[in-house]
Each structure stands twice: as structure tokens, then as C-alpha cells.
Amino acid sequence: MAKLFAQIRFIAGALALALMIAAATPVSAQVNPTTSAVKEQQLLNTLQDGGISGRVSIPDQKSANLIRPAGRDWQHWHQVTLRWIGAIAVLGALALMVIIYLSRGMIKIEGGRSGRTIVRFNAFERFIHWLTASCFIILALSGLNITFGKPLLLPLLGPEAFTTWSELAKYAHNFLSFPFTIGVVLIFLTWIGGNIPNAVDIEWFKRGGGILSDDHPPAGHFNGGQKVIYWIVVLGGGASAVTGYLLLFPFYGTGISGMQLSEIIHATVGMLFIAAMLGHIYIGTIGMEGAAEAMGEGSVDVNWAKQHHSLWLADEMSRAKGSGAARPMGTPAE
Ligand code: HEM
């Protein structure tokens, strides 16, 4: 009899203990996470939208979050998916440029230089262009280091040099974001007038912008391709800034999920932005004779203007005739 009572007591005790464990575990899942038979993946799948949280006595309640399975999806995105997107976008853009350069070469000024130049961008316009461009280049390189530095540079530089470089790059990324944002805002305000899409752009695109042939579709101050670049800078720069500042000032604007989403948008926009700007740099340098001068000295050869921006040139000439001189023109090139 005493043995029977002892057995009943044991079973009741075991049941009570099981009940206490079940009640104390803050998991809404069907799976008991304390059972050794539960596989980690099974537990994570069951907890997909929730997590395992405890209680803390410090003011920062976020520290009570012990496991957040959604973080693993983000980690996979960051270490695998993003690297694929970045590699395809950046290497794809470079490969495309090599193909275009090898098949088309530099687009020359037909009939050579006239020896007369016309002002295309004033000092302020060139300043905002170079302010934004120089910040962009450093933001792009330091951003790429966050995505690709560990697998590509760490083995080459070793831990100490890589740490020093990454720290510098991170400071540069944080602080240059401010002049970059100012540059994007100034570009938006300064050039919005010339960048509203119109019927001339449709014709320009229909004729492929004259990039792959010797055709020269008419264009105003900015052609269809340049307008696309303008909107990529304004919208891509705007999106980089908003999402970047959400990451730079954590938990001010959003929580963990919002920051993960911000990082996904920031990094994807960043990679596509870099690919687009590689195209812009190509056409402004080795892709087209006479283009770099526009943002260098600020003036271009009249024959270049006739070939690539005929409507703008005609406009400037008629204004110069009408009012003495709108923008200085006819300066003999040295
Ligand atoms: C206002 C502008 C910007 C701000 C405030 C900003 C801020 C940030 C912050 C805080 C991070 C996270 C750094 C970390 O994980 O430690 C980041 C990452 C990154 N940024 Fe920016 N950024 C800006 C512009 C740009 C631009 C223009 C580009 C591209 C040209 C860019 C490309 C990247 C890339 C590729 C990453 C790494 C993404 C990753 O692997 O997680 N950023 N940025």
C-alpha cells in the first residue's frame, strides 16, 4: 500500500513539474523548446513570427529578446542574397561597358572640334556635381566594403589592416552621408527644370540615343539618358538617405524589423545605384569625346553641342542673338 502511495505521489509530482514548466515557458508554440528531441530548425520554424523573450530589470526592454528567428532570414539575405545581387549588378555593368567599348569605341566629335566653345555648366553647377560625385564614390566603396570586405579583403589584408581600413571606411560612410544628402537636394532643385520628361525624349529613346549607331537624335540641355540619370540620383539618393539615416540612428525611427527592411532597401538601391553610376562615368569619360569638359572646365565644343544637344545649342544661339549674350559663347579653344 505504502508503495502504491509512493508511486501516486511520484506521478503527481512529475505532472505538477511538467505543468509548471509549461506555464513558465513564454512560448506560444506547440513545440516544447526544452525537450531535447526538438530540432533547432523545427523550433525556429514554429517561432517564425514570434521569438523567445524573457524579462529584464534594466530600462532597455529590447535586451529581453533572446532569440528572434526572423534575424536568421535577414542574415542569410545579408551574407548570400545581397552578395549575389551586388556581384551581378556591379560586374554586369562593368561587363556591359567593356562590350560597348569594344564594339563601339569612343563616340567621336564628327568633323572634329570647331575651336569654338560654349558654356554648359556654371561654377555652382559643377560644384554641386563634384560634391555629390566625390561623396558618392567614397560611400560606394565603403558600402561595398561592408558587403564584400570580409570575404574579399580580409584574407588579403589580414585582420589588423582590415580592421583599420573598415573602421576608417565606416566613419567615412557615416560622415560623408551629410554632404552627399545636401548635394542630392541641391541637384534636385538646380536641375529639375531641365529634367521633366517630354516628347523629345521619347523620340531620343526610340532612336536608341545614338549610342549604338551614328544617329544623333535631337535633344535639349539634357537628353533622355541624362534625365534618367538625374532621376536615379534624386530618387536613389533620396531612398539611400532615408533608409541610411534609419540605420545610422537605430531605434529612433523604427524597430528591429523596420531596420532590417531599411537595410534591404538601402543595400539593393546602393548596388543598382553603383551600377547606374558606372554607366554614367563611362559615357562621361572614355565613352564620348568632349563630354568630360562639360563638368571639367564647364564649356564644350560647339560641334559637340550640335551633335548631342542640338535643340539646346539652337536655343542658346537664339538667346545670344536676342540679348547680346545669354551664356558666353564663341570663345576660341586654346
Ligand atoms: C545619406 C546617405 C547614406 C547614409 C546615411 C548611409 C548609411 C548607411 C549605414 C548606417 C549603413 C549600415 C552600416 C553598417 O551595417 O554598419 C550603410 C550600409 C551600406 N550603404 Fe549606405 N548610406 C548612405 C548612402 C549610401 C550610398 C549613396 C550608397 C551606394 C552608393 C550606399 C551603399 C551602402 C552599402 C552597399 C551598404 C552595405 C549594406 C550591407 O552590406 O549591409 N550608401 N549605409
Side-chain angles (χ1 to χ4, degrees), residues 78-306:
H78 188 245
Q79 286 173 3
V80 181
T81 320
L82 173 61
R83 286 181 186 160
W84 274 105
I85 293 176
I88 291 170
V90 176
L91 297 179
L94 285 171
L96 193 67
M97 278 180 283
V98 170
I99 293 169
I100 293 179
Y101 188 74
L102 291 180
S103 57
R104 176 81 167 91
M106 183 186 251
I107 302 172
K108 296 277 182 197
I109 300 176
E110 272 171 20
R113 291 174 186 269
S114 68
R116 281 157 45 94
T117 59
I118 177 170
V119 172
R120 183 149 168 81
F121 293 113
N122 65 31
F124 176 72
E125 288 172 307
R126 282 178 283 145
F127 167 71
I128 58 173
H129 174 272
W130 288 116
L131 169 77
T132 316
S134 48
C135 291
F136 178 87
I137 290 169
I138 298 172
L139 286 167
L141 292 176
S142 52
L144 287 175
N145 185 57
I146 297 169
T147 312
F148 293 107
K150 226 165 157 185
L152 296 185
L153 288 185
L154 179 59
L156 288 177
L157 301 180
E160 289 207 359
F162 179 69
T163 307
T164 310
W165 146 248
S166 295
E167 196 182 1
L168 272 174
K170 184 68 180 92
Y171 275 122
H173 201 90
N174 289 356
F175 285 104
L176 290 180
S177 69
F178 298 104
F180 173 77
T181 307
I182 294 171
V184 169
V185 172
L186 291 175
I187 282 180
F188 168 65
L189 297 173
T190 308
W191 286 327
I192 176 77
N195 280 288
I196 305 294
N198 59 27
V200 175
D201 304 323
I202 297 172
E203 182 58 24
W204 190 89
F205 279 114
K206 274 190 191 157
R207 290 163 62 173
I211 289 164
L212 294 174
S213 61
D214 288 328
D215 186 17
H216 301 301
H221 192 286
F222 294 109
N223 62 35
Q226 289 167 325
K227 288 182 184 180
V228 169
I229 291 294
Y230 170 86
W231 286 108
I232 288 176
V233 170
V234 169
L235 299 176
S240 306
V242 171
T243 52
Y245 290 127
L246 285 173
L247 296 171
L248 199 53
F249 301 103
F251 299 107
Y252 279 91
T254 175
I256 276 280
S257 306
M259 281 165 59
Q260 284 177 343
L261 182 65
S262 295
E263 189 276 344
I264 291 171
I265 297 171
H266 188 83
T268 310
V269 168
M271 297 302 174
L272 300 178
F273 206 172
I274 293 169
M277 288 305 116
L278 283 172
H280 174 69
I281 293 168
Y282 167 80
I283 205 84
T285 54
I286 57 167
M288 182 185 280
E289 184 186 7
E293 296 142 38
M295 273 304 164
E297 299 107 59
S299 46
V300 289
D301 192 273
V302 169
N303 279 355
W304 180 92
K306 206 181 288 174

